[in-house]
Amino acid sequence: SFEECRRRFYKNWYKSKKKAFTKASKKWQDDLGKKEIEKDIAKIKKYCTVIRVLAHTQIKLMKKRQKKAHIMEIQVNGGSIAQKVDWARDHLEKTVPLDDVFAKDEMIDIIGVTKGKGFKGVTSRWHPKKLPRKTHKGLRKVACIGAWHPARVAFSVARAGQKGY
């Protein structure tokens, strides 16, 4: 259902006013809104070069505690831009089975980002050897961050910082 998808836009669903997409969905009711949608789709067909759709999982079918759907942007391939837009329009708010998208043993390209881990020390981030137990001022460090000259730290030396995305 659409509620699963809307939950993704809220931190706390039961306390929220559940207003996500209420104004956008009103466009589909009146004739003026439908004309505006058709105008936007015509612009997409004329100017766009890459067509992507927003898809969400049906998390309720998993029978788990989570009710918030995962959302993913998927590129539509095959055919002209107009055919891609028409396909996306036809499948709007409909379930798309995996068999319609992927063939058995088909090679696919994927794009992804790592899970963010926040600010991490050098041992967690780059996995250098930990220093001996008796080390002064901590042992989860890099022993030597470079020679006296050149008098700066090289980019290739492991340092603490953001781990992941």
Side-chain angles (χ1 to χ4, degrees):
S1 72
F2 189 49
E3 185 203 287
E4 295 174 295
C5 181
R6 286 172 56 206
R7 280 176 183 264
R8 176 54 58 190
F9 298 95
Y10 292 96
K11 179 95 175 129
N12 198 333
W13 178 253
Y14 84 95
K15 279 186 183 175
S16 69
K17 293 180 178 171
K18 300 169 183 61
K19 296 276 287 179
F21 298 104
T22 51
K23 289 179 180 169
S25 61
K26 283 179 186 163
K27 270 189 188 177
W28 293 90
Q29 265 71 48
D30 61 340
D31 293 331
L32 190 69
K34 284 184 180 172
K35 280 181 186 168
E36 193 179 327
I37 290 166
E38 290 301 325
K39 194 170 74 178
D40 290 343
I41 288 174
K43 275 185 183 174
I44 290 170
K45 286 180 181 178
K46 187 175 180 184
Y47 296 112
C48 291
T49 54
V50 177
I51 303 299
R52 294 191 177 104
V53 293
L54 279 178
H56 73 84
T57 56
Q58 294 176 296
I59 201 83
K60 69 171 183 280
L61 301 178
M62 295 287 289
K63 302 275 194 287
K64 300 280 185 200
R65 182 168 178 254
Q66 183 175 332
K67 295 175 186 171
K68 193 183 287 191
H70 299 98
I71 295 180
M72 187 179 192
E73 194 175 278
I74 303 170
Q75 186 167 317
V76 181
N77 291 324
S80 66
I81 295 293
Q83 288 171 325
K84 292 177 190 180
V85 173
D86 291 335
W87 185 90
R89 176 82 191 268
D90 293 340
H91 288 79
L92 196 66
E93 292 192 358
K94 293 189 180 123
T95 57
V96 181
L98 277 175
D99 301 338
D100 291 1
V101 182
F102 302 111
K104 190 177 185 308
D105 300 327
E106 181 184 3
M107 297 292 274
I108 59 171
D109 292 332
I110 60 167
I111 302 169
V113 292
T114 55
K115 191 185 283 190
K117 309 284 188 188
F119 194 95
K120 291 287 189 178
V122 71
T123 307
S124 172
R125 193 173 180 217
W126 296 108
H127 310 293
K129 183 76 84 182
K130 277 171 67 180
L131 299 177
R133 180 185 60 81
K134 297 172 86 169
T135 314
H136 182 55
K137 287 191 175 176
L139 47 85
R140 296 174 62 88
K141 297 173 175 290
V142 173
C144 177
I145 60 167
W148 189 321
H149 289 291
R152 57 196 155 272
V153 180
F155 75 93
S156 56
V157 175
R159 306 290 273 156
Q162 176 70 29
K163 184 178 179 182
Y165 188 64

